[in-house]
Amino acid sequence: MPIGKPLQLSLFDESSPDAGLAPAQAAGLLPPAPEPPGYTRHEIRLQDQPLAYRLRRSRRKTIGLTIRDARLLIQAPTWATRRQIEEVIQEKSRWIRDKLKINQERMALLALQDSQWRPGGRIPYLGIMIELRLDGSREARFEGDLRSPQAGSLLFLPLPDGADDGRIQERAQAWLQEQARRDFDVRLQHSLALAGQRIDRWALSAAQGRWGSCTSQRRIRLNWRLIHLPPALIDYVIAHEVAHLKEMNHGPAFWREVERLCPDFKSARDALARHHPASLPLF
C-alpha cells in the first residue's frame, strides 16, 4: 500500500464505561502494569513535554490509539512511517492528554480504596459520605434517614473489634446491596409508570464497566454501585434503561424519551461521566 495513502484513525479509551477499567497501578501506589506483549516503547514530545507510547505493527488498515493502564498504546499498519504515526499523535494530543489524566485519576482512586474498609472509614451512600463503625450486633444498623442520609451518619456493622478489612468490606457491601435493591425498585417502578411501560423483571448487577442494561426481552439490570451516587444520577440511569423499552437505540427519539422521563438528564449524564463502576466507592 502506498505510503502516501491517507490514514484512518480509531480512538479507544479502555477506562470508558462501556469498556471496563483495568486494575490500578497508579503513581507508585501499586506495582506498574507489565509491558503489553508485542509493543515497543517510543517517546515523543508534546508541547515540550515527553510522552511515552507503545507501538505494535500489524496488517490492520488503520491507526488505533488506545488508553490502557494510563498508557498510550498504538497499533499501526506495517507500511505507516513513524513520522505519520507521530503526526497522528500530535493531531490527537488533546484527546490523549485528557484521557490519560482521567485514567490516572481513576487508578489513583482505586489504589486508595483499601483505606476505607476500617472502623472510622467513610464511604458514599446516596452521594453522602457516611462513617463505618463496628459493634458486634447481629444485624447492621444505620443511624439516620435511609432515604435522605446526612454527612457523618453512622453505619454499624455486626463485626467484632479487630475484624479485618476484607470482612468489613464484605459486610458493608452486603448492606449497600440490600439498600440498592429497595431504593432502585421504588425509583424503577416510578419511571415505568411515567413511561407507561412494563418489564419482565429486573435485577442488580456487579458489572465493572456498565451502570445498567436493558434487553429486548424487557429485562433491566442496574449496577448496585449506583447506590453510592446522588439520587439524581440514579434516576438518570434508570430513565435511560426504561427509555430503551421504547427505543432500543441511542437515536434522537431515544434521547427525547429520556428527557421526558428525566428532564434534567443532561447535567446528570455529565456528572455520571466523572464516575466509573470500578472506581467506586471513592469519588
Side-chain angles (χ1 to χ4, degrees), residues 69-85:
D69 292 336
R71 289 173 172 165
L72 172 60
L73 306 183
I74 299 178
Q75 297 187 58
T78 55
W79 50 264
T81 66
R82 283 274 301 282
R83 179 176 179 180
Q84 286 178 306
I85 293 168

Side-chain angles (χ1 to χ4, degrees), residues 203-244:
L204 295 178
S205 85
Q208 292 295 302
R210 288 178 177 269
W211 290 118
S213 64
C214 177
T215 71
S216 57
Q217 289 77 37
R218 309 183 74 80
R219 298 171 185 170
I220 286 177
R221 292 176 66 82
L222 299 170
N223 196 312
W224 71 264
R225 294 179 182 86
L226 284 166
I227 198 65
H228 290 300
L229 302 179
L233 275 61
I234 302 172
D235 289 337
Y236 160 65
V237 172
I238 290 175
H240 184 113
E241 303 311 332
V242 169
H244 276 313

Side-chain angles (χ1 to χ4, degrees), residues 115-283:
S115 66
Q116 292 184 304
W117 307 115
R118 57 177 176 78
R122 299 167 69 243
I123 60 172
Y125 167 61
L126 291 178
I128 301 297
M129 300 303 291
I130 64 173
E131 187 171 321
L132 299 178
R133 296 286 180 86
L134 309 183
D135 73 354
S137 67
R138 293 184 178 180
E139 296 182 358
R141 76 178 192 275
F142 182 73
E143 289 195 350
D145 186 344
L146 285 171
R147 295 180 60 85
S148 183
Q150 301 297 312
S153 293
L154 301 178
L155 171 59
F156 288 88
L157 301 174
L159 291 171
D161 292 340
D164 62 37
D165 294 356
R167 293 183 66 194
I168 293 173
Q169 180 177 3
E170 180 181 353
R171 287 285 190 168
Q173 290 185 341
W175 182 86
L176 288 166
Q177 289 172 24
E178 180 183 353
Q179 303 313 311
R181 191 171 289 107
R182 296 174 179 174
D183 184 271
F184 298 174
D185 189 65
V186 172
R187 297 178 191 278
L188 179 58
Q189 297 308 321
H190 173 78
S191 189
L192 287 169
L194 189 60
Q197 298 285 346
R198 60 171 182 80
I199 56 175
D200 179 60
R201 63 175 179 266
W202 81 274
L204 295 178
S205 85
Q208 292 295 302
R210 288 178 177 269
W211 290 118
S213 64
C214 177
T215 71
S216 57
Q217 289 77 37
R218 309 183 74 80
R219 298 171 185 170
I220 286 177
R221 292 176 66 82
L222 299 170
N223 196 312
W224 71 264
R225 294 179 182 86
L226 284 166
I227 198 65
H228 290 300
L229 302 179
L233 275 61
I234 302 172
D235 289 337
Y236 160 65
V237 172
I238 290 175
H240 184 113
E241 303 311 332
V242 169
H244 276 313
L245 296 169
K246 183 177 180 181
E247 300 286 342
M248 193 59 71
N249 56 66
H250 288 101
F254 166 80
W255 289 111
R256 286 195 296 270
E257 179 68 0
V258 173
E259 186 170 24
R260 188 176 75 83
L261 300 176
C262 183
D264 196 29
F265 85 93
K266 290 182 180 178
S267 61
R269 182 179 61 185
D270 292 344
L272 188 67
R274 297 194 293 270
H275 303 293
H276 187 278
S279 70
L280 290 170
L282 278 168
F283 282 164

